[in-house]
Amino acid sequence: MVGRRRCRRNEDRHCSAPAMWLRADRQFPAAEALVSQLHREQFSRVEENPVNIRVIDWIWHIRGRLALAPGHTGNEAFDRLDPLFRQAGTSHERTDDALSFMKKNSAAQDKMSVFDRGAFRIESGVKGPVLHYHLTSRALLFCFLAPLLFISIAQFTVVTNKWNKAHQESPEKPVVAPMHPIDRALGAPVPDTPDADGSGAEGDAKKPSPTPAYVFAGIFAALYVAGRILEHRLVKALFRKRLLAV
């Protein structure tokens, strides 16, 4: 009986512990603030430890800034940019000094269809407020990775061809039958010597060529370079036109 009572008391203590913690949180709201502060410090440490991704995120991220016209405020600047985010498949959120948008299945007529998401913020500069923008594009990332993929395919094709050739070649020299004296007297042409692997030009023609993969790699590389440079200039010109429009 004594043992059972002790067990029940222990169970009651273990079961009542979470309830006591909840009551303590309610009675001491400062504990919740302390816990949230600890979580923020922990996440800030996690963000500082990883490798700085900005070393490579320029591949698919576009950043820039534009000075606002004299006398214009952040609300006026966002009012001028607002038609750009009233497109099909575009959702956006706006505050007094910040704006963020996201695009999903945007139409081809959208002037910013190449960008998937972005953020704008207004900061005070030496000569007045400045608009800072940060845009991301998965299309640019795909065009950057595609050449690497096709180059890998081309190199794999070259290695495969070499491996097949090394295993198909025979160490024995092909036997060439001598010409008949009558054929030689009549001036018949000398027969060609067969190749060692017995395939000749026909076998070389059947081997996969890495050339198409190199061609596609060059095409996507050109698309990325052109898109990375042109899209940055086009979107900056678009924002400037909207902000400075009378």
Side-chain angles (χ1 to χ4, degrees):
M1 294 296 291
V2 176
R4 292 182 180 177
R5 291 179 181 176
R6 291 180 179 176
C7 292
R8 289 179 181 176
R9 291 177 180 176
N10 292 335
E11 291 176 0
D12 293 340
R13 290 176 182 175
H14 288 295
C15 295
S16 61
M20 293 175 62
W21 293 338
L22 293 175
R23 288 197 298 271
D25 289 342
R26 294 173 183 174
Q27 295 175 359
F28 303 96
E32 297 181 359
L34 179 60
V35 172
S36 61
Q37 182 180 359
L38 292 175
H39 278 287
R40 287 195 299 269
E41 292 178 359
Q42 181 179 4
F43 288 130
S44 63
R45 292 174 183 175
V46 172
E47 292 177 357
E48 292 175 358
N49 289 334
V51 180
N52 190 2
I53 195 173
R54 290 196 62 175
V55 177
I56 61 172
D57 71 348
W58 58 267
I59 297 172
W60 69 98
H61 290 240
I62 290 180
R63 296 180 177 87
R65 60 182 180 178
L66 283 171
L68 301 184
H72 284 188
T73 62
N75 284 329
E76 293 177 351
F78 290 148
D79 289 338
R80 292 173 179 268
L81 296 176
D82 189 75
L84 298 176
F85 312 111
R86 298 289 181 181
Q87 305 294 329
T90 304
S91 59
H92 71 286
E93 297 180 359
R94 173 179 166 181
T95 60
D96 294 337
D97 58 353
L99 185 148
S100 61
F101 73 92
M102 181 179 297
K103 293 181 178 291
K104 185 177 181 181
N105 299 328
S106 57
Q109 294 79 11
D110 190 351
K111 296 181 180 179
M112 297 179 61
S113 60
V114 70
F115 301 105
D116 304 296
R117 62 182 62 192
F120 301 81
R121 71 179 187 275
I122 303 295
E123 294 184 357
S124 58
V126 178
K127 298 182 180 179
V130 179
L131 173 69
H132 293 257
Y133 57 89
H134 179 190
L135 311 175
T136 61
S137 173
R138 287 181 295 181
L140 290 177
L141 179 61
F142 173 78
C143 290
F144 179 85
L145 296 178
L148 303 179
L149 174 63
F150 284 108
I151 290 176
S152 300
I153 294 174
Q155 293 299 319
F156 178 77
T157 304
V158 172
V159 173
T160 303
N161 290 339
K162 291 182 179 179
W163 187 85
N164 292 334
K165 185 178 181 181
H167 285 74
Q168 289 178 0
E169 286 183 349
S170 175
E172 298 180 358
K173 295 183 178 180
V175 179
V176 180
M179 289 185 62
H180 197 275
I182 298 177
D183 295 336
R184 187 179 302 171
L186 295 175
V190 179
D192 296 334
T193 303
D195 295 335
D197 57 357
S199 58
E202 183 179 357
D204 295 337
K206 293 181 180 179
K207 294 180 180 179
S209 175
T211 303
Y214 286 125
V215 172
F216 280 107
I219 292 174
F220 279 102
L223 287 176
Y224 173 76
V225 173
R228 184 64 179 80
I229 297 174
L230 290 179
E231 288 298 334
H232 191 179
R233 294 182 178 179
L234 290 176
V235 75
K236 189 172 185 178
L238 178 63
F239 295 157
R240 183 185 291 110
K241 182 179 178 181
R242 288 283 181 177
L243 294 175
L244 302 180
V246 181

